[in-house]
Amino acid sequence: MAMAATVSSSGITSCAFSRSVISSEPKVSQIGSLKLLDRVSVTTPMPLNLSGKRSSVKPLNAEPKRNDSMVPLAATMVAQVAEEVVETEDFAELAKKLENASPLQIMDKALEMFGNDIAIAFSGAEDVALIEYAHLTGRPYRVFSLDTGRLNPETYRFFDAVETHYGIRIEYMFPDSVEVQGLVRSKGLFSFYEDGHQECCRVRKVRPLRRALKGLRAWITGQRKDQSPGTRSEIPVVQVDPVFEGLDGGAGSLVKWNPVANVEGSHVWSFLRTMDVPVNTLHAAGYVSIGCEPCTRAVFPGQHEREGRWWWEDAKAKECGLHKGNIKENANVNGESKPIVEDIFKSENLVALSRQGIDNLVKLENRKEPWIVVLYAPWCPFCQAMEASYDELADKLAGSGVKVAKFRADGEQKEFAKQELQLGSFPTILVFPKNSTGPIKYPSEKRDVDSLTSFLNLVRNRKTSRHFHENREIKQEPFHLVPDC
């Protein structure tokens, strides 16, 4: 999918928005099982400003707000946790209330609640229905898309048609050119046919999406329960995003809306035909679910739509990483929930510690170099959410004298990690300063590169016991990367 944001020009000015009025002529009260409000007549759109001047809308990749204090007081941390729990419960309750609402009603509620801090994720397929619903509400809205660089020509022409039809500008997010270059030079253009699509999707889609969502508090997707019975059959119409972080950072900082979660694909298409909106011409050629050109093909009548995506892989693997939270969990022999997912944190500059390795690290009293270690479980959505930032940290500190490592602490290692490594929840991040007898536990929910490197600086050159952070204040020091912590 591709990524960007825009504001509908329907009745919008730089300082006020002219709300739509209800047309006296009712249109399309019901299409299939989609319950629609009477169509809203939107005021005449203002002409697009093509002079190059930007609107006042915050870019999707805006720098998130950060708390200057890297070590918040215990009371503050408790309050933050409590707030996150309440927020999660509130949206779970809201999802129940909206379970039988129409997509238009759900879209209207989403735009009403989040205003300019929410954007529609547009993939170039039937997600155009989301834009039509947003248009019908009469509210201003934003649209984003991820341009992976490997989309079909028909998809690019479709983007242009959508912009013209709605009088909007889609803001695209692109993958990092250095990462793409490294992947292609080392593994070739089509390595995903041999070792799976996850690595390519991580570079071309997931990381650009992560950057984009950092500028939002909520996003709107076109996920439906019938799209993929293996991974999407239980998605709610609204949820706290289990994988990605939003503008404020930390777990629970982003809300995910799925207005068409309960709608069947055939009814979405009835809606699109009735409203006479642009559609991707690939659909007429048998393409139902559309992604990147090398990984998408047409399906035959009777085949499920997702069979045209990553057709060489098992059906349970058919998520690109944008919706990792959908992956169902299976209970293991210890009763612990684990989904079927691959391992995470794959930077070449990252050390994978065994049980013996981390045990030796804990017992070592005079380390010659500092270490930062994440205790993780690959199935944990919060661990998955910090994958890109932790890999980036490892690459940034390569050759600096700081060792960046990971230790898988679930399953049979969990009890050991609880007793010896201060594991409370996943992920737990520990810093092992040199010349010390024990680790210092990272106390913040912010797991971006800047926050982690700031904490490394805070604890540099301090002789400490294992529970140093519990009984002695760490004073804030000016930030600049000094690897010798």
Side-chain angles (χ1 to χ4, degrees):
M1 125 176 192
M3 177 146 261
T6 186
V7 181
S8 165
S9 57
S10 305
I12 190 169
T13 68
S14 59
C15 60
F17 179 73
S18 174
R19 292 302 305 276
S20 308
V21 294
I22 304 297
S23 169
S24 59
E25 180 183 358
K27 297 183 181 179
V28 194
S29 59
Q30 184 171 342
I31 299 175
S33 63
L34 286 178
K35 298 178 181 178
L36 299 177
L37 302 179
D38 288 345
R39 181 160 185 171
V40 180
S41 175
V42 183
T43 54
T44 303
M46 292 180 64
L48 286 170
N49 180 1
L50 300 180
S51 63
K53 294 182 179 179
R54 306 293 294 176
S55 70
S56 60
V57 178
K58 295 189 298 295
L60 280 173
N61 59 347
E63 184 69 16
K65 297 178 181 177
R66 291 197 178 98
N67 186 344
D68 290 335
S69 173
M70 285 302 304
V71 189
L73 296 175
T76 304
M77 294 177 68
V78 171
Q80 289 174 343
V81 173
E83 182 179 348
E84 289 169 5
V85 171
V86 171
E87 185 179 20
T88 302
E89 291 176 349
D90 286 347
F91 283 103
E93 184 62 29
L94 180 59
K96 293 179 182 178
K97 292 179 180 178
L98 294 175
E99 182 66 18
N100 296 317
S102 71
L104 182 57
Q105 291 169 324
I106 297 169
M107 177 67 72
D108 188 66
K109 184 66 175 178
L111 296 177
E112 177 190 24
M113 289 184 68
F114 288 94
N116 197 47
D117 290 330
I118 190 171
I120 297 169
F122 179 48
S123 69
E126 69 270 35
D127 290 338
V128 68
L130 300 176
I131 301 177
E132 179 66 11
Y133 286 125
H135 180 73
L136 290 173
T137 67
R139 300 181 186 275
Y141 58 94
R142 304 171 66 182
V143 180
F144 70 83
S145 191
L146 299 171
D147 185 351
T148 64
R150 305 200 77 171
L151 304 179
N152 296 78
E154 293 87 346
T155 298
Y156 289 112
R157 287 194 284 271
F158 177 45
F159 286 150
D160 183 67
V162 167
E163 289 187 327
T164 301
H165 182 82
Y166 291 101
I168 62 177
R169 278 288 181 262
I170 300 172
E171 295 180 15
Y172 301 97
M173 292 295 291
F174 302 91
D176 182 89
S177 59
V178 175
E179 286 189 311
V180 174
Q181 178 177 286
L183 175 63
V184 173
R185 285 186 176 181
S186 64
K187 304 185 73 173
L189 286 168
F190 301 101
S191 59
F192 39 82
Y193 290 139
E194 301 296 329
D195 55 15
H197 72 274
Q198 296 294 341
E199 183 177 14
C200 184
C201 284
R202 185 182 299 113
V203 170
R204 293 181 182 271
K205 299 172 75 172
V206 178
R207 289 178 179 172
L209 175 66
R210 195 183 306 280
R211 292 199 310 269
L213 295 180
K214 279 289 189 177
L216 298 170
R217 288 191 169 87
W219 62 311
I220 302 168
T221 85
Q223 291 188 105
R224 303 190 320 271
K225 290 179 179 178
D226 70 340
Q227 281 175 326
S228 184
T231 60
R232 300 188 179 185
S233 61
E234 298 177 7
I235 55 173
V237 296
V238 58
Q239 63 188 134
V240 173
D241 197 299
V243 175
F244 295 102
E245 297 182 4
L247 187 63
D248 296 324
S253 60
L254 185 71
V255 178
K256 187 176 186 179
W257 291 79
N258 308 299
V260 293
N262 298 321
V263 180
E264 293 181 9
S266 60
H267 295 153
V268 171
W269 275 99
S270 294
F271 173 69
L272 294 177
R273 284 190 289 267
T274 300
M275 306 311 287
D276 193 25
V277 301
V279 295
N280 196 322
T281 56
L282 286 173
H283 291 302
Y287 291 76
V288 182
S289 178
I290 301 173
C292 293
E293 188 278 333
C295 304
T296 306
R297 67 180 183 181
V299 296
F300 295 107
Q303 280 189 300
H304 190 274
E305 63 183 85
R306 296 294 278 188
E307 290 188 56
R309 301 290 294 277
W310 307 295
W311 61 90
W312 63 93
E313 296 183 0
D314 183 81
K316 292 181 179 179
K318 295 193 177 187
E319 291 289 355
C320 60
L322 305 189
H323 305 293
K324 270 188 178 180
N326 296 337
I327 299 176
K328 287 187 171 182
E329 298 182 347
N330 298 323
N332 67 7
V333 293
N334 298 320
E336 185 176 299
S337 242
K338 289 184 179 180
I340 305 171
V341 291
E342 61 175 312
D343 199 15
I344 54 178
F345 308 127
K346 296 185 176 180
S347 168
E348 294 179 355
N349 297 308
L350 194 146
V351 180
L353 291 172
S354 63
R355 164 70 176 271
Q356 183 178 358
I358 197 165
D359 201 30
N360 291 339
L361 184 61
V362 172
K363 295 175 181 178
L364 195 62
E365 294 186 0
N366 293 306
R367 301 178 196 88
K368 294 183 179 180
E369 51 194 359
W371 289 68
I372 180 169
V373 182
V374 60
L375 311 181
Y376 76 104
W379 46 263
C380 167
F382 300 109
C383 298
Q384 294 169 0
M386 67 169 288
E387 178 181 8
S389 60
Y390 199 68
D391 280 345
E392 183 181 343
L393 180 72
D395 296 340
K396 180 178 180 179
L397 297 180
S400 68
V402 178
K403 294 292 187 182
V404 182
K406 66 177 183 178
F407 174 67
R408 182 166 178 174
D410 61 340
E412 60 185 17
Q413 304 298 342
K414 192 170 184 180
E415 207 53 44
F416 160 75
K418 282 183 176 181
Q419 294 179 8
E420 301 297 329
L421 301 174
Q422 310 173 52
L423 176 68
S425 60
F426 295 115
T428 291
I429 300 171
L430 303 176
V431 174
F432 294 79
K434 71 174 188 176
N435 303 320
S436 70
T437 58
I440 300 173
K441 186 175 180 179
Y442 178 65
S444 174
E445 289 293 322
K446 294 185 180 296
R447 303 181 184 112
D448 57 277
V449 175
D450 288 346
S451 298
L452 291 171
T453 50
S454 293
F455 186 71
L456 281 168
N457 285 313
L458 289 174
V459 299
R460 67 180 183 271
N461 293 325
R462 292 190 181 272
K463 293 183 179 180
T464 178
S465 67
R466 176 178 301 170
H467 302 294
F468 176 90
H469 66 286
E470 296 180 350
N471 52 40
R472 183 176 178 183
E473 180 182 2
I474 302 176
K475 296 181 180 179
Q476 178 76 38
E477 299 181 28
F479 170 75
H480 56 283
L481 180 61
V482 179
D484 187 18
C485 66

